[in-house]
């Protein structure tokens, strides 16, 4: 699967840094593709909602780790606010 073919979310597209992390880790990429567009949207929004670069990097790292362990959505997060609009 190429970088360009990575599935996007319902509202959000996959940012370059998250795309790179997912495509570097085949197991995470497979899990990503297996989630729904709405779930992918929530992962993306969780990553891009971070205000600091360090926090964003941590969210990306956790996204990859949690997808590998079978998590379907970000843990302990209220969800994408864009979904309500």
């Amino acid at each position: 699967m190429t970088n360009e073919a990575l599935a996007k979310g319902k509202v959000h597209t996959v940012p370059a840094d998250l795309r790179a992390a997912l495509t570097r880790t085949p197991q995470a990429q497979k899990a990503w593709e297996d989630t729904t567009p709405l779930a992918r949207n929530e992962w993306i929004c969780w990553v891009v909602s971070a205000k600091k670069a360090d926090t964003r990097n941590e969210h990306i790292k956790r996204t990859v780790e949690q997808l590998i362990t079978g998590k379907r959505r970000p843990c302990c997060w209220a969800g994408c606010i864009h979904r309500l609009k």
Side-chain angles (χ1 to χ4, degrees), residues 3 7-8 10 13-14 17-18 24 43 45 59 68-69 74:
N3 281 349
K8 62 180 184 170
K10 186 86 173 152
T13 57
V14 184
D17 49 357
L18 178 58
R24 272 194 309 268
W43 285 112
C45 191
H59 283 200
I68 289 171
T69 62

Side-chain angles (χ1 to χ4, degrees), residues 14-72:
V14 184
D17 49 357
L18 178 58
R19 177 184 304 277
L22 290 168
T23 57
R24 272 194 309 268
T25 314
Q27 193 176 5
Q29 184 174 358
K30 184 178 183 316
W32 177 265
E33 297 294 336
D34 190 45
T35 61
T36 66
L38 190 55
R40 290 190 297 266
N41 191 70
E42 294 206 0
W43 285 112
I44 296 166
C45 191
W46 183 61
V47 167
V48 301
S49 67
K51 292 179 177 64
K52 295 180 179 179
D54 288 347
T55 305
R56 182 176 174 127
N57 291 335
E58 181 60 29
H59 283 200
I60 291 170
K61 178 182 172 199
R62 284 182 51 198
T63 296
V64 170
E65 290 170 354
Q66 289 181 4
L67 283 168
I68 289 171
T69 62
K71 299 277 187 197
R72 305 295 284 179

